[in-house]
C-alpha cells in the first residue's frame, strides 16, 4: 500500500493514552438484522461511552500532546460530537476549550458541550462558517486549532477502531464506514488495508452531502454550495486535500444513500438491535438496504459511530413512540 499520512506504530501507541472507557468497544454479529438485509452483519458499537461517539479516541490523543506541551487552551469547530469529545478530554487535562458550532446544530449536542464545561460560540451559518470562526479565534488568542480529519491525531485515534476490527477471529468481507470529514474512514481504512487488505473498505455518505464522495470518484476536491441531510455529523461541503489523498489510498469504494434509507436504517437498528443512533451512525445499514445484491451472502461489519440525537426529531423520523 502507498503511504498515507498515518503511521501504524503511532496508532498502536495511541491506545496507551486513550482513556480505556473509549477502547475495546463491543463488536458482535447482530443476527436479528440479517433477514432484513440479506447478509451477515457485525456491529462495532461506538456509542457506549461518556460522549456517545468515536470522536474521543482522537481528542484523547490531541489533548495528551497539548498537556505534554504545557498548552492551556484549544478551539475547534464542530457539528456537535467533536466538540463534546474535545470538551471531555480537555476537562480531564486542565485545558480551556472553546467550541464553535452552527446555531442550527442539534440542540442535544450543544447542551452536552456546555454541560462539559466548554465555552460554546454559535455562528449564523453552517459548519464551514464555524470552521472559519474557529480558525480566527485560534489566530487571535494564539491557541491550538483542533481540525478534525486534518489533524493526524484525530485520524490515528479513530484508527484504533481498525485495530480492534482486525484483532478478532472473525474476518470480514467488507467494512462500511460513515464518511464526513474523513478521520474515521481514513483511520480505519489505513489499518484494514495494511493488516487485512482482502477486506473491502466502503465509505458511505448521504446524497444530500456528497462532496467527499464526489471528490473520491473524481480524484480531486469537489465542493458543494450547500448540504441537505438529517445526518448533520457528515454534512461537510469542502473536503480537505490532504484527507482526500489518504482516502484515495485506503477506500475501495464510496457510495451515496438516500435520506429514506438512512431513516430506515435507524429504525432497523432500533427494532432489531435495540440501538438509538444518530443518522450518521445508520449510514452503513442504509448502504446495505440499497445494495442487497452486492452484499448478499457476505459478512459485513459497520461502525455505529454516534448516538447523540435530538429525541424529538428521532421520533419524527422513525415513527417510534415518544416516551410518556
Amino acid at each position: 500500500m502507498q503511504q498515507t499520512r498515518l503511521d501504524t506504530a503511532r496508532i498502536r501507541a495511541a491506545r496507551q493514552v486513550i482513556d480505556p472507557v473509549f477502547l475495546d468497544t463491543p463488536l458482535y454479529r447482530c443476527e436479528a438484522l440479517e433477514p432484513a438485509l440479506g447478509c451477515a452483519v457485525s456491529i462495532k458499537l461506538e456509542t457506549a461511552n461518556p460522549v456517545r461517539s468515536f470522536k474521543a479516541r482522537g481528542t484523547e490523543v490531541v489533548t495528551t500532546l497539548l498537556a505534554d506541551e504545557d498548552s492551556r487552551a484549544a478551539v475547534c469547530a464542530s457539528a456537535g460530537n467533536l466538540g463534546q469529545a474535545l470538551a471531555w478530554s480537555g476537562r480531564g487535562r486542565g485545558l480551556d476549550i472553546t467550541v464553535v458550532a452552527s446555531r442550527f446544530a442539534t440542540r442535544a449536542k450543544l447542551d452536552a458541550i456546555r454541560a462539559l464545561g466548554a465555552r460554546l460560540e454559535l455562528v449564523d451559518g453552517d459548519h464551514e462558517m464555524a470552521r472559519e470562526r474557529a480558525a480566527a479565534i485560534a489566530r487571535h488568542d494564539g491557541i491550538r486549532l483542533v481540525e478534525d480529519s486534518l489533524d493526524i491525531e484525530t485520524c490515528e485515534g479513530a484508527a484504533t477502531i481498525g485495530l480492534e476490527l482486525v484483532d478478532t477471529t472473525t474476518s470480514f468481507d467488507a467494512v462500511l464506514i460513515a464518511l464526513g470529514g474523513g478521520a474515521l474512514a481514513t483511520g480505519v481504512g489505513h489499518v484494514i488495508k495494511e493488516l487485512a487488505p482482502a477486506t473491502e473498505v466502503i465509505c458511505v455518505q448521504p446524497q444530500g452531502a456528497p462532496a467527499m464522495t464526489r471528490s473520491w470518484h473524481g480524484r480531486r476536491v469537489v465542493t458543494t454550495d450547500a448540504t441537505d441531510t438529517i445526518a448533520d455529523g457528515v454534512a461537510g461541503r469542502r473536503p480537505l486535500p490532504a484527507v482526500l489523498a489518504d482516502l484515495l489510498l485506503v477506500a475501495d469504494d464510496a457510495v451515496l444513500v438516500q435520506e429514506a434509507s438512512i431513516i430506515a436504517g435507524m429504525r432497523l437498528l432500533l427494532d432489531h438491535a435495540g440501538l438509538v443512533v444518530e443518522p450518521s451512525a445508520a449510514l452503513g445499514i442504509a448502504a446495505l438496504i440499497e445494495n442487497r445484491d452486492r452484499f448478499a451472502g457476505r459478512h459485513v461489519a459497520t461502525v455505529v459511530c454516534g448516538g447523540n440525537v435530538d429525541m424529538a426529531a428521532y421520533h419524527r423520523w422513525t415513527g417510534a413512540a415518544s416516551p410518556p
Side-chain angles (χ1 to χ4, degrees):
M1 184 182 77
Q2 290 179 267
Q3 185 59 47
T4 69
R5 294 179 301 145
L6 289 80
D7 178 80
T8 303
R10 289 199 307 262
I11 294 166
R12 294 189 186 280
R15 284 184 54 87
Q16 305 308 309
V17 302
I18 297 171
D19 191 303
V21 74
F22 300 109
L23 296 173
D24 301 313
T25 52
L27 172 63
Y28 59 95
R29 182 170 171 179
C30 188
E31 294 184 47
L33 285 170
E34 295 174 5
L37 299 173
C39 63
V41 181
S42 286
I43 286 172
K44 181 63 168 163
L45 187 62
E46 292 295 312
T47 64
N49 63 58
V51 299
R52 296 194 290 185
S53 83
F54 76 94
K55 294 286 189 180
R57 291 180 184 252
T59 59
E60 286 286 278
V61 181
V62 171
T63 55
T64 295
L65 293 174
L66 288 173
D68 289 346
E69 296 166 357
D70 292 326
S71 298
R72 289 292 174 260
V75 60
C76 74
S78 175
N81 286 349
L82 177 70
Q84 288 182 66
L86 187 61
W88 194 94
S89 297
R91 184 180 64 179
R93 293 167 176 82
L95 300 173
D96 293 324
I97 301 298
T98 299
V99 178
V100 184
S102 167
R103 68 177 63 257
F104 307 109
T106 301
R107 181 173 296 277
K109 295 181 179 182
L110 300 181
D111 289 345
I113 291 169
R114 292 188 184 97
L116 287 165
R119 173 176 172 264
L120 180 63
E121 180 174 323
L122 301 179
V123 297
D124 291 315
D126 64 6
H127 182 64
E128 301 304 335
M129 183 177 290
R131 283 169 63 177
E132 293 170 3
R133 176 57 184 157
I137 292 171
R139 288 193 299 269
H140 182 270
D141 295 350
I143 61 175
R144 169 70 180 268
L145 173 64
V146 178
E147 295 191 81
D148 198 22
S149 305
L150 181 61
D151 288 357
I152 199 64
E153 300 94 340
T154 63
C155 302
E156 292 181 341
T160 59
I161 297 171
L163 293 178
E164 293 166 21
L165 283 168
V166 300
D167 187 23
T168 176
T169 56
T170 302
S171 59
F172 302 108
D173 297 303
V175 175
L176 299 176
I177 309 170
L179 178 60
L184 182 63
T186 58
V188 174
H190 170 91
V191 172
I192 289 176
K193 284 304 160 189
E194 184 162 301
L195 303 180
T199 300
E200 268 194 294
V201 174
I202 302 172
C203 304
V204 190
Q205 202 165 35
Q207 288 185 349
M212 186 63 99
T213 296
R214 290 181 180 174
S215 299
W216 185 87
H217 284 281
R219 303 189 70 82
R220 62 179 181 84
V221 171
V222 177
T223 62
T224 59
D225 294 330
T227 60
D228 183 16
T229 178
I230 63 172
D232 61 308
V234 295
R237 297 188 289 110
R238 301 174 187 168
L240 300 167
V243 183
L244 174 61
D246 289 339
L247 193 70
L248 288 169
L249 295 175
V250 302
D252 295 296
D253 200 2
V255 300
L256 298 173
V257 294
Q258 301 174 18
E259 296 293 291
S261 299
I262 299 172
I263 292 170
M266 294 169 69
R267 186 67 203 229
L268 280 175
L269 286 167
L270 175 65
D271 290 346
H272 299 293
L275 298 175
V276 175
V277 305
E278 61 188 85
S280 301
L283 287 170
I285 302 299
L288 295 176
I289 291 170
E290 293 191 11
N291 298 274
R292 285 180 61 93
D293 290 346
R294 175 176 182 173
F295 297 106
R298 305 176 76 193
H299 191 168
V300 177
T302 185
V303 181
V304 175
C305 56
N308 292 297
V309 64
D310 178 273
M311 291 309 298
Y314 180 86
H315 294 310
R316 290 197 306 271
W317 295 329
T318 65
S322 299

